[in-house]
Amino acid sequence: MKKIIVKIAAITLAILTAFTAFGCGACGKKPESGEIKPDHDNPQEILDSEYMLIDKAKSEYKILLGKNADNNEKNAAMEIQFFFKKATEITLPIVTEGSYAAPEKFISVGKTAKSAENKIEVNPKIKKKQGYIIKTCGDDVYILGVTTLGTLYGAYDFLKYQTGFEYYFKDVYSFDCDAVNLKLKKFDLTEFPDIDEFTTPSGGLTYYDSVEARRMRVTPVENWLIPMNSAYVAVHNVQWILPPSEFMSSHPKWFSEGGDGQLCFTARGDKKEYDALVEEIASVIKRGLEDSESDIFSISQLDFNTFCPCSACVEESRKYGANSALLVMLCNRLSDYFEEWFKTGEGSPYKRDLKIVFLAYQQILSAPVVKDEKTGEYVATAEEVKPRDNVGIYFAADGFHYTYGTDSSNNAPIFESLKAWRALTDNFLFWVYDVNFNNYFYPYDSSFSKKEWYSFMKECGTLILNDQSQLQNKNGGTAWSNLKNYLNAKLRWNVNADLNELTEGFFKGCYLDCADEMYSVFLQYKAHAAEMKDGVAKGEYSEKITAGTVGSIYGGLDNKELWEKSLIASWYKTFSEAYAKAAALAEKDEAYEKVKFMIAQELVSPLYMMIALYGDEYSAAELAKYKAEFKQKCTEGKIGYYFDSTVNGKIENLYKALGIE
């Protein structure tokens, strides 16, 4: 896609100068004590320096890599080079120390001899792995992360502040800079995300495309998860930890009496078998520690709403007040095991800040707690079910109504459960949702209410966050899924981000001269989503329509009561006009091919609703026309799935159900 230069007022490119975050001997600064906060907490303008990054459409700068640069640092250098050229048509050469003499003017990426010489350091108090600094010293710039992944993300922000770079969607980005005369910024920037790790699976685009993942700052599970028998499966993974094909015959008591493949977390009450179970899981963790540098091991039941019904599990769960008590005790046992193993000659080479977590989900969602009658605070039902300091939970609230806020009465039980867990542990991972799983093609209004969730997760000190959307659609989704994925990526970095401004910027950056039409429909949809919730609260719908209908990730949105024919027809009409406009513009400007693609994706949603809800109200000719167009737009927009099932959710199955050839 050719260069797109769009002036966007949506994002204030601003930053706070924080002297406590850097060491720069050449610039006369040293790290100081005190709390470190990201500069996005209190942004101020980054001023121009006296030096010219571009002078009369030429640049003397080179991108400098260290001799031992890893893939993240190399990618950071290449991304600066690639996008800088897109913005200015100037190629900044990449040079590696040891192969070339250090250039006179450079952008140092990652750990280099020059950064060491000038004592460029990240303050050790910055614990977030994806944090970084960007520092101007004289006429040079240094980009250095807490980890090399932080360096990569620092490269994107260097581009943002220097060229106005903003990335929205695959091959869709914008700049706002002078490509002829451009001054170097006076960087003194400390940044790190509010939620450290934003990981896959999220949207399908970032799950299946590693380039898109890094540009949206989404990291794969391999970045943090300890593998189980070489498999990186974060949830529903017990069959990878203890494969039934390998252990069912020799250790049947390890598996649920229900015969569904779940584990029995008491080994049916058999102490010898339980000890063997712990030893085998410990062996799996050891192999994972040897094969990776990751530090989190996850134990997760299969995706069935079941729990072992054996008498030992029932008795233990009743004793401690929750099924989860059995998982806490197992993780505590493993924690104690590795605390001792790391002290041995065998284990010491693999010592790290190991965290062992389990999935708090469905029948394991509730914590083993009671309320203290005097304080009203939650306390563990017994000492043995208090999680060790390195034991935590992977909280997955599939019963949460994500279109409502965290203070909604609909979500009170979930938050009461979270309050209980917060009394027991500070180690949280979260799996949240951004889609109606039963039908991708109905808009699900989770994008703005989700902000409260992200703020709460920040307060919890969340280590890892998944935000799952239309995972199976590998090239982007419909019903505003692409917008939501963009907003989520921004929100996890800064939970106080202005979503209205970001949304305006997304429409301007993605849809260009068609932005007004697309944005107008989005605003209508937002107003309609609010009306639906208001209607539910006032009892204006039939008894079939409840808060769960519009709030649950499984809600029955496929109801005429919620979508007036004239409303969705008007959305279809506006989208169609925008599509025709983009098609005409594409004849002269190839940038609009991507605009057409994204509009086609959005057209899928109202077309489907017209057919599914009101097909019997159109003439045979009209219905045939809409069906043909629906298939054409699904094909053009590469929409391959219509609900969350890799087998049954294929779009071809929907075509068959709708009578589309």
Side-chain angles (χ1 to χ4, degrees):
M1 183 176 186
K2 77 175 190 179
K3 179 175 61 176
I4 303 172
I5 300 180
V6 182
K7 293 188 177 181
I8 298 175
I11 304 171
T12 303
L13 302 182
I15 211 69
L16 168 69
T17 302
F19 296 114
T20 60
F22 306 100
C24 181
C27 298
K29 297 178 183 175
K30 297 180 180 179
E32 299 173 6
S33 60
E35 184 181 4
I36 302 297
K37 293 184 178 181
D39 282 349
H40 66 245
D41 275 0
N42 187 18
Q44 295 180 2
E45 184 181 5
I46 297 180
L47 302 176
D48 289 337
S49 74
E50 63 190 276
Y51 304 103
M52 299 300 294
L53 182 58
I54 302 175
D55 189 7
K56 297 177 182 178
K58 294 183 179 180
S59 179
E60 297 178 359
Y61 280 80
K62 293 181 174 63
I63 302 167
L64 182 66
L65 280 171
K67 184 177 181 180
N68 299 312
D70 72 0
N71 285 337
N72 284 328
E73 292 168 319
K74 291 175 182 177
N75 281 331
M78 288 189 290
E79 292 287 72
I80 292 173
Q81 184 185 63
F82 177 82
F83 286 113
F84 194 83
K85 184 175 182 179
K86 290 290 183 181
T88 67
E89 299 185 357
I90 295 172
T91 299
L92 300 178
I94 299 173
V95 297
T96 301
E97 290 177 328
S99 300
Y100 298 90
E104 292 185 4
K105 296 181 179 180
F106 57 82
I107 302 163
S108 172
V109 175
K111 292 184 178 180
T112 62
K114 281 292 185 181
S115 66
E117 177 185 326
N118 285 288
K119 299 182 181 178
I120 304 294
E121 302 168 348
V122 182
N123 192 308
K125 290 188 176 183
I126 300 175
K127 301 301 182 183
K128 298 288 180 72
K129 296 177 183 178
Q130 297 184 8
Y132 57 84
I133 62 173
I134 307 177
K135 178 68 183 176
T136 301
C137 284
D139 58 2
D140 302 317
V141 181
Y142 296 86
I143 304 169
L144 182 63
V146 174
T147 63
T148 59
L149 189 59
T151 298
L152 173 61
Y153 295 159
Y156 292 127
D157 271 3
F158 167 79
L159 288 163
K160 179 176 80 169
Y161 294 111
Q162 196 66 68
T163 70
F165 170 69
E166 186 66 20
Y167 196 88
Y168 306 103
F169 184 73
K170 184 177 177 64
D171 297 328
V172 180
Y173 42 85
S174 63
F175 306 99
D176 183 9
C177 67
D178 187 337
V180 178
N181 295 295
L182 181 64
K183 286 190 174 182
L184 183 70
K185 295 290 185 181
K186 288 183 179 179
F187 288 106
D188 198 350
L189 171 63
T190 303
E191 263 296 344
F192 51 89
D194 288 340
I195 300 171
D196 197 24
E197 200 95 42
F198 194 44
T199 190
T200 57
S202 48
L205 190 59
T206 51
Y207 184 59
Y208 293 100
D209 190 323
S210 60
V211 174
E212 295 312 299
R214 70 169 179 252
R215 289 175 179 174
M216 298 301 288
R217 307 189 190 194
V218 178
T219 57
V221 294
E222 293 88 342
N223 195 63
W224 56 271
L225 182 68
I226 295 169
M228 54 285 305
N229 296 314
S230 300
Y232 286 91
V233 184
V235 295
H236 312 317
N237 59 20
V238 292
Q239 62 184 333
W240 279 272
I241 298 173
L242 300 173
S245 60
E246 183 175 350
F247 294 107
M248 181 67 81
S249 59
S250 57
H251 296 280
K253 292 182 178 180
W254 290 2
F255 298 90
S256 170
E257 196 173 74
D260 52 10
Q262 304 280 31
L263 293 188
C264 175
F265 296 109
T266 64
R268 315 281 181 87
D270 186 322
K271 183 180 183 303
K272 183 178 179 181
E273 280 296 292
Y274 186 77
D275 290 344
L277 173 76
V278 173
E279 284 288 337
E280 183 57 37
I281 296 176
S283 296
V284 174
I285 297 175
K286 286 180 183 178
R287 291 193 291 271
L289 293 171
E290 293 172 0
D291 293 341
S292 75
E293 296 181 358
S294 301
D295 54 14
I296 296 177
F297 189 81
S298 172
I299 301 173
S300 168
Q301 73 273 33
L302 302 179
D303 199 10
F304 311 131
N305 194 11
T306 59
F307 195 76
C308 180
C310 78
S311 58
C313 286
V314 171
E315 182 180 344
E316 290 286 277
S317 296
R318 185 180 297 120
K319 175 182 177 180
Y320 296 110
N323 292 336
S324 60
L326 282 60
L327 274 296
V328 172
M329 290 189 288
L330 173 62
C331 292
N332 282 349
R333 178 83 176 264
L334 291 165
S335 171
D336 295 343
Y337 181 100
F338 280 95
E339 182 179 5
E340 295 304 314
W341 187 69
F342 284 144
K343 296 175 183 177
T344 67
E346 178 191 10
S348 59
Y350 306 105
K351 184 176 181 181
R352 66 198 69 176
D353 183 19
L354 173 66
K355 288 183 172 58
I356 302 171
V357 303
F358 65 90
L359 187 68
Y361 178 66
Q362 294 182 344
Q363 292 196 31
I364 314 179
L365 192 67
S366 299
V369 296
V370 293
K371 267 192 176 180
D372 186 288
E373 293 182 359
K374 294 182 180 180
T375 65
E377 299 296 322
Y378 284 108
V379 294
T381 55
E383 188 68 27
E384 57 265 35
V385 294
K386 290 182 180 178
R388 300 287 190 266
D389 288 345
N390 67 327
V391 169
I393 64 167
Y394 205 156
F395 195 87
D398 67 338
F400 194 86
H401 292 178
Y402 288 97
T403 67
Y404 288 84
T406 56
D407 60 350
S408 168
S409 60
N410 304 310
N411 294 320
I414 299 292
F415 266 83
E416 197 63 23
S417 179
L418 271 169
K419 183 179 178 181
W421 279 116
R422 290 191 73 184
L424 297 184
T425 183
D426 293 324
N427 298 316
F428 280 89
L429 289 72
F430 279 91
W431 191 301
V432 298
Y433 304 92
D434 210 31
V435 67
N436 185 306
F437 280 120
N438 289 336
N439 204 312
Y440 286 170
F441 296 169
Y442 285 94
Y444 181 70
D445 185 40
S446 55
S447 55
F448 281 67
S449 57
K450 189 70 72 64
K451 184 170 184 176
E452 296 176 17
W453 248 110
Y454 276 58
S455 295
F456 177 81
M457 289 187 285
K458 176 190 176 183
E459 292 173 12
C460 290
T462 299
L463 304 170
I464 309 292
L465 167 62
N466 300 84
D467 200 333
Q468 185 178 350
S469 61
Q470 294 183 21
L471 181 59
Q472 285 83 1
N473 282 323
K474 300 179 181 181
N475 298 284
T478 187
W480 310 117
S481 178
N482 301 326
L483 167 64
K484 291 194 288 184
N485 289 336
Y486 168 77
L487 293 178
N488 291 342
K490 293 294 183 181
L491 204 55
R492 81 87 183 197
W493 197 275
N494 177 10
V495 300
N496 295 314
D498 188 323
L499 295 187
N500 287 313
E501 289 189 354
L502 288 171
T503 300
E504 287 186 41
F506 178 88
F507 278 93
K508 292 177 182 178
C510 291
Y511 298 108
L512 304 179
D513 286 349
C514 303
D516 288 346
E517 293 90 337
M518 300 301 292
Y519 190 47
S520 70
V521 176
F522 176 76
L523 292 178
Q524 292 172 45
Y525 164 66
K526 291 296 294 181
H528 179 66
E531 289 172 3
M532 286 195 293
K533 290 192 287 187
D534 189 55
V536 169
K538 293 178 178 179
E540 294 176 353
Y541 298 112
S542 70
E543 61 183 21
K544 291 183 179 180
I545 307 297
T546 66
T549 305
V550 297
S552 169
I553 59 176
Y554 308 109
L557 290 171
D558 53 338
N559 192 303
K560 286 184 178 181
E561 287 189 72
L562 298 174
W563 312 97
E564 292 182 5
K565 181 181 179 181
S566 60
L567 179 65
I568 54 178
S570 72
W571 293 350
Y572 163 73
K573 181 176 182 294
T574 304
F575 282 161
S576 297
E577 291 170 351
Y579 181 87
K581 185 177 180 180
L585 290 167
E587 294 179 4
K588 296 181 179 180
D589 187 344
E590 67 179 15
Y592 283 88
E593 289 296 335
K594 201 68 178 188
V595 176
K596 273 178 55 185
F597 175 80
M598 296 188 73
I599 295 175
Q601 290 184 324
E602 293 303 332
L603 261 165
V604 167
S605 175
L607 272 166
Y608 173 77
M609 288 192 283
M610 290 163 63
I611 296 166
L613 296 178
Y614 295 101
D616 59 349
E617 297 185 20
Y618 294 111
S619 68
E622 287 177 315
L623 184 58
K625 170 184 174 294
Y626 291 139
K627 286 182 176 181
E629 186 178 2
F630 173 69
K631 182 176 181 179
Q632 190 273 329
K633 290 299 184 287
C634 285
T635 302
E636 184 178 344
K638 298 182 179 180
I639 302 295
Y641 287 81
Y642 71 104
F643 77 95
D644 185 61
S645 171
T646 54
V647 177
N648 299 320
K650 292 181 179 180
I651 195 68
E652 290 80 9
N653 295 332
L654 180 60
Y655 295 156
K656 185 176 180 180
L658 294 175
I660 298 174
E661 297 181 357

